Amino acid sequence: MPAFGHTVSPRYAPQDAGAVVLGARQAGAALAFIQTLQYFGGAETPGEEGLASPRLWEYGQRMLSLNPYYRYGVLYVAGFLAFNNPINRPEQALALIAQAVKGDPKFWRYKMVAGAIGYTQAERSEEAVALLEESVKDPECPSMIKSILAGIHRKAGRYGRAAEIYESILDARDKEYAERARKNLEEMMVLGEIRGRMNQ
């Protein structure tokens, strides 16, 4: 596990420092997640939405500082920040995911959440694309991630890049995604979005 950087939350500094000193960073991150749930459960009162957002962001960073591999907590906080009205802070969710990806780049579910944010929140799509484009460079990148990225590019009118990614899925072991990619390419040709790109 990477070295502990700094205490994110002054309020919990003694508790987090104790977890580090005792070599119990995983347990500390789990306790931080429980405190996140307790906080959010008590923050859903009128006028508290704005406060809930920065606190959730802080709790997410705190979990990562204690345990960079605390995936469930990161996904939970990112999901709430991005998709829970009235909080609606997709930029914070993407920033938290980007931070998590640095320490845990092979965990594909982070990229799936980023893709979902980019697909449903047009104003954040470019941030999601940056994360997903890094993912598709990996030969082990799942077809699902590629399909999400191709869909975002197509939605944005970047048909050439969308077609390139769909073509890279045609030989995928996952035949469902390969067939879906083929159908998307055929549809793009019929609609005139691309011409003569599909070579299989």
Side-chain angles (χ1 to χ4, degrees):
M1 189 179 294
F4 182 73
H6 64 282
T7 301
V8 172
S9 172
R11 184 161 59 151
Y12 290 106
Q15 175 184 306
D16 293 350
V20 173
V21 170
L22 293 172
R25 288 171 61 184
Q26 291 184 0
L31 180 56
F33 179 60
I34 291 169
Q35 290 166 334
T36 303
L37 296 176
Q38 289 174 335
Y39 167 73
F40 193 70
E44 296 181 300
T45 55
E48 290 272 323
E49 294 87 1
L51 183 60
S53 168
R55 288 272 173 85
L56 276 175
W57 163 248
E58 179 183 289
Y59 277 117
Q61 288 189 309
R62 182 178 164 223
M63 284 184 276
L64 275 179
S65 72
L66 285 164
N67 181 2
Y69 309 110
Y70 197 65
R71 297 164 170 175
Y72 183 80
V74 172
L75 289 171
Y76 181 90
V77 171
F80 258 97
L81 286 169
F83 302 116
N84 189 282
N85 287 323
I87 291 177
N88 194 30
R89 292 290 189 275
E91 71 283 357
Q92 291 181 347
L94 285 168
L96 184 65
I97 290 170
Q99 185 179 342
V101 165
K102 287 178 183 176
D104 195 3
K106 294 291 186 183
F107 185 57
W108 297 112
R109 286 184 66 190
Y110 287 147
K111 281 88 166 189
M112 290 179 196
V113 172
I117 294 169
Y119 207 80
T120 58
Q121 311 260 351
E123 69 277 12
R124 304 260 69 100
S125 65
E126 294 311 306
E127 295 165 61
V129 164
L131 278 170
L132 296 175
E133 283 287 2
E134 283 300 309
S135 300
V136 298
K137 294 175 185 175
D138 189 327
E140 297 180 12
C141 179
S143 296
M144 178 185 288
I145 300 292
K146 292 181 180 181
S147 185
I148 289 171
L149 178 58
I152 293 174
H153 279 306
R154 186 180 179 190
K155 193 175 178 181
R158 294 185 289 266
Y159 303 124
R161 181 60 182 143
E164 288 175 4
I165 298 168
Y166 281 134
E167 286 176 348
S168 75
I169 304 173
L170 290 175
D171 289 326
R173 286 189 298 255
D174 189 328
K175 298 308 175 188
E176 180 182 343
Y177 279 100
E179 183 59 25
R180 192 178 301 172
R182 182 180 298 280
K183 286 180 179 176
N184 274 297
L185 285 165
E186 289 172 350
E187 182 181 83
M188 291 173 78
M189 285 190 281
V190 169
L191 294 174
E193 296 171 352
I194 56 171
R195 291 182 183 172
R197 293 193 58 95
M198 193 169 71
N199 51 27
Q200 296 184 25

